[in-house]
Amino acid sequence: MTIRTVVWGENIHEHTNDIVRGLYPDGMHETIAKSLAGDGEIEVSTATLQEPEHGLSEERLERTDVLLWWGHKDHGAVSDDVVERVARRVHEGMGLIVLHSGHFAKPFKRLMGTPCALKWREAGERERIWTVNPGHPIAAGIPENFVLENEEMYGEFFSVPEPLETVFISWFAGGEVFRSGMTWRRGAGNIFYFRPGHETYPTYHDETVQKVLRNAVRWAYNPAPALKSVHDAPNVPVDKALEPITERGPRLHADGEEGYR
């Protein structure tokens, strides 16, 4: 089994902030990709905001099984065409893993259909992450809890739809709590949001965080062929009904004519 995985990075702070550059000299996306490559079944590459089509052409997304997304400073610069392209592939079965400040990323908001807003504070405080669903595949090999000594606080209320599953919950030194690991399904696609990952802290160098991401890629992977029919809305003629019926009323559309969208 080979899971074709793309790590998408906004790739701005690494070039404009000395602290971030020092932590991730090759870019956050490259650090994440390197950690994923430790799993021999994950074939990983990267893409960034600055590339043509943000590195996410239709052809490349067709070949992608799982997409990881990290963005923060310039969500608005992401092309709406690319957003719709990503959402379409998720509905067809591509997995999507959204990281940290990607809660405001346009593809995530498009798929959630909600504001995806939350409380936050930059104070480098301790975050204790609790594994509240230890039997979940994303939590395989993850301890009951683990600590990140310095992180940005995210606090409830997090305005996302009720998740399919909650895997992790965080507590912060300032007292706030947050649902830090949640899953959803959209069409045939699996979605996982994982909170840790503020750019001024070495979060993606943490071995436990890296293991969560490798687990998440494996969980998000859907080996079935792309469900292209998820977009179809066929007009079924009367004579093609599964049981014999008689047309009993007027209609707007002729047989085979497309409906309104």
Side-chain angles (χ1 to χ4, degrees):
M1 177 180 71
T2 299
I3 305 173
R4 300 166 300 178
T5 303
V6 174
V7 179
W8 190 91
E10 190 178 67
N11 195 35
I12 294 177
H13 291 289
E14 297 93 322
H15 301 282
T16 61
N17 184 286
D18 289 340
I19 295 172
V20 181
R21 185 185 299 112
L23 290 170
Y24 302 104
D26 297 321
M28 297 174 70
H29 53 289
E30 292 292 348
T31 298
I32 294 168
K34 184 178 179 180
S35 73
L36 295 177
D39 185 319
E41 293 187 336
I42 298 176
E43 179 186 287
V44 62
S45 61
T46 63
T48 63
L49 176 68
Q50 295 77 24
E51 297 174 46
E53 299 183 84
H54 313 319
L56 300 175
S57 66
E58 289 188 13
E59 294 76 14
R60 190 174 190 189
L61 283 173
E62 286 291 330
R63 300 191 305 270
T64 300
D65 297 315
V66 179
L67 173 66
L68 288 84
W69 191 284
W70 192 100
H72 190 186
K73 183 177 174 60
D74 205 0
H75 297 304
V78 176
S79 160
D80 288 340
D81 287 343
V82 171
V83 172
E84 290 304 312
R85 195 178 296 165
V86 169
R88 184 180 182 89
R89 282 291 294 125
V90 171
H91 285 128
E92 292 172 354
M94 182 183 74
L96 177 65
I97 299 169
V98 178
L99 303 173
H100 189 60
S101 44
H103 68 91
F104 273 154
K106 289 163 77 173
F108 187 61
K109 293 181 71 175
R110 164 71 172 78
L111 289 159
M112 294 296 103
T114 58
C116 302
L118 46 83
K119 296 184 180 72
W120 62 281
R121 176 174 58 241
E122 282 187 283
E125 58 200 278
R126 176 180 294 177
E127 176 181 8
R128 186 178 297 275
I129 301 171
W130 288 90
T131 304
V132 296
N133 194 344
H136 196 282
I138 295 175
I142 305 301
E144 179 183 63
N145 70 83
F146 63 98
V147 172
L148 299 173
E149 283 296 334
N150 301 105
E151 253 298 350
E152 180 182 23
M153 183 278 290
Y154 279 7
E156 297 287 345
F157 172 61
F158 187 17
S159 55
V160 291
E162 188 68 19
L164 183 65
E165 303 146 316
T166 300
V167 185
F168 303 108
I169 292 178
S170 289
W171 171 89
F172 294 89
E176 290 86 359
V177 297
F178 191 76
R179 293 167 291 165
S180 279
M182 292 186 282
T183 74
W184 296 267
R185 185 164 294 116
R186 294 292 182 266
N190 297 315
I191 302 173
F192 178 58
Y193 172 78
F194 190 48
R195 195 219 70 81
H198 189 58
E199 55 267 41
T200 60
Y201 307 120
T203 300
Y204 293 120
H205 295 288
D206 183 271
E207 291 183 1
T208 306
V209 169
Q210 292 179 356
K211 184 168 182 58
V212 169
L213 295 183
R214 288 192 294 271
N215 288 349
V217 168
R218 285 176 165 270
W219 170 84
Y221 172 58
N222 181 353
L227 187 64
K228 299 294 185 179
S229 63
V230 72
H231 310 292
D232 297 342
N235 175 2
V236 181
V238 170
D239 62 357
K240 300 296 183 182
L242 295 176
E243 301 290 344
I245 59 171
T246 300
E247 188 170 341
R248 301 176 60 193
R251 50 178 162 150
L252 292 172
H253 296 94
D255 286 348
E257 183 179 327
E258 291 189 4
Y260 304 123
R261 293 200 184 201

